[in-house]
Amino acid sequence: MQKIGLAIIAVLFLVLSSVLYTVNETQTVIKLRLGEIITVEESPGLKFKMPFVNNIIKFDNRIQTLDEPAERFLTSEKKNVIVDSYVKWRIIDAEQFYKSTGGNIVRTNNRLTQIIKTGLKSEFSKRTIADVVSNERSEIMSNIVRLAKKDIAQFGIEIVDVRIKRIDLSQEVSNSVYRRMQAERQRVAKEFRSKGAEKAEIIRAAADKKRTIILANAYRDSEKIRGEGDAASANNYAQAYNKNTDFYAFYRALASYKKSFSNQSNILILNPNTEFFRHFSPQIK
């Protein structure tokens, strides 16, 4: 009896599994009858089908990501750039999707790849490297989405987004760009050095001029002061001489003696009766 009960349970399970199926929140289900679509189930829950008559095909209605390897495209300058992009898409009409692609995701991705490549090729061929790298990336993606929507309308899907992850220059283009950048930097550096040398010359000339003026003024002032000092000295000597001519003559003679006999090795051969020695001999007047 126990074996019979287990057999009955197994049969019931098989029967129920053949007549019941579930639809999840993330799925859209197409029910076929002998290969013909009879209904599309989008609401989640437990559903019924006729065994051996109805076939069930389930599709994921969430956003799908198509991330293909990077491709090489030509810009308007005939320069190669390597573009890495991805596409976000989803099924919006399961019946149309099944009719146009047979429900094959791989076939759909291949078709989308060709559409996106064609759009990227067209957009990059209109722009320079500077355009695609700097400020026109958003415009490129918007144009691709707009053009691709026309081509995929028959597939029952929609493109949610197209994004360019990275744009790389090919090796030969990179070398050429780096050489141009280096030349440009060298030109700018040379210009800065030239301007700096010019300013240095202006500053140096101004400093030399100021130095010359300062030295000239200092020499003028020193000569003026020296002249004033000499005049004052001569005036003092004149006043002193006028007050006592004998003493002044004696003082001048002593200064002359001091200067003449400053070195012990000096020898003078003179007549002692000359005016030079008059202070050594009182008889000499």
Side-chain angles (χ1 to χ4, degrees):
M1 294 294 293
Q2 185 176 3
K3 293 182 179 180
I4 295 174
L6 292 174
I8 293 173
I9 292 174
V11 170
L12 289 174
F13 179 79
L14 290 173
V15 171
L16 289 175
S17 63
S18 63
V19 299
L20 297 175
Y21 66 94
T22 57
V23 179
N24 295 330
E25 293 85 351
T26 60
Q27 292 177 331
T28 298
V29 175
I30 292 179
K31 185 190 291 185
L32 303 174
R33 182 173 59 195
L34 302 177
E36 181 182 356
I37 298 176
I38 59 173
T39 184
V40 177
E41 298 288 349
E42 295 181 347
S43 58
L46 190 63
K47 310 294 181 178
F48 294 92
K49 65 176 180 176
M50 294 292 294
F52 310 110
V53 176
N54 297 132
N55 293 330
I56 301 300
I57 300 177
K58 296 181 179 182
F59 300 106
D60 193 339
N61 56 23
R62 292 175 295 184
I63 295 176
Q64 308 293 318
T65 300
L66 172 60
D67 193 355
E68 289 291 318
E71 287 287 333
R72 190 182 293 259
F73 299 100
L74 281 175
T75 64
S76 60
E77 307 161 299
K78 305 303 178 184
K79 301 292 186 181
N80 281 314
V81 290
I82 301 172
V83 182
D84 191 2
S85 62
Y86 67 88
V87 184
K88 295 286 188 179
W89 65 277
R90 64 183 174 188
I91 300 171
I92 58 173
D93 188 339
E95 182 176 355
Q96 183 64 28
F97 178 72
Y98 178 75
K99 289 179 179 179
S100 58
T101 66
N104 192 315
I105 299 294
V106 175
R107 185 185 304 170
T108 305
N109 281 335
N110 290 338
R111 180 57 181 157
L112 274 176
T113 298
Q114 294 301 320
I115 293 173
I116 298 303
K117 284 183 180 180
T118 301
L120 287 172
K121 181 179 180 181
S122 174
E123 291 298 319
F124 275 81
S125 65
K126 303 173 186 177
R127 294 171 171 83
T128 64
I129 293 177
D131 293 335
V132 299
V133 171
S134 58
N135 56 358
E136 295 191 15
R137 187 177 299 190
S138 298
E139 182 181 351
I140 291 173
M141 292 183 291
S142 299
N143 290 343
I144 291 174
V145 172
R146 178 174 51 81
L147 295 173
K149 284 182 178 180
K150 299 177 182 179
D151 295 330
I152 65 170
Q154 59 180 326
F155 300 131
I157 63 175
E158 72 169 349
I159 293 179
V160 178
D161 196 12
V162 175
R163 289 289 169 182
I164 297 175
K165 295 190 294 184
R166 189 176 71 251
I167 300 176
D168 293 328
L169 302 176
S170 61
Q171 190 61 44
E172 59 273 14
V173 175
S174 296
N175 293 337
S176 176
V177 170
Y178 292 150
R179 284 194 296 269
R180 286 202 301 270
M181 291 173 62
Q182 185 180 22
E184 176 63 19
R185 293 299 93 194
Q186 289 176 347
R187 184 192 66 78
V188 173
K190 185 177 181 181
E191 183 179 349
F192 278 128
R193 283 195 294 268
S194 176
K195 290 181 178 179
E198 180 183 355
K199 290 183 178 180
E201 287 297 325
I202 294 173
I203 294 172
R204 191 177 292 110
D208 290 341
K209 179 181 178 182
K210 188 175 182 180
R211 172 180 173 273
T212 302
I213 293 173
I214 291 173
L215 290 176
N217 290 336
Y219 180 76
R220 179 199 63 194
D221 294 341
S222 67
E223 289 298 312
K224 180 179 179 182
I225 294 171
R226 185 179 292 110
E228 292 174 352
D230 290 344
S233 175
N235 183 53
N236 291 334
Y237 278 123
Q239 291 179 4
Y241 181 78
N242 291 329
K243 287 182 180 180
N244 193 332
T245 56
D246 292 337
F247 175 79
Y248 182 73
F250 177 70
Y251 178 79
R252 292 292 299 273
L254 290 179
S256 177
Y257 296 154
K258 182 178 180 181
K259 186 175 181 180
S260 299
F261 300 108
S262 61
N263 193 331
Q264 294 182 1
S265 62
N266 291 343
I267 297 176
L268 294 176
I269 301 176
L270 298 171
N271 186 347
N273 297 320
T274 61
E275 180 68 18
F276 183 75
F277 292 108
R278 71 187 183 87
H279 293 289
F280 285 88
S281 176
Q283 290 78 15
I284 301 177
K285 299 265 178 132

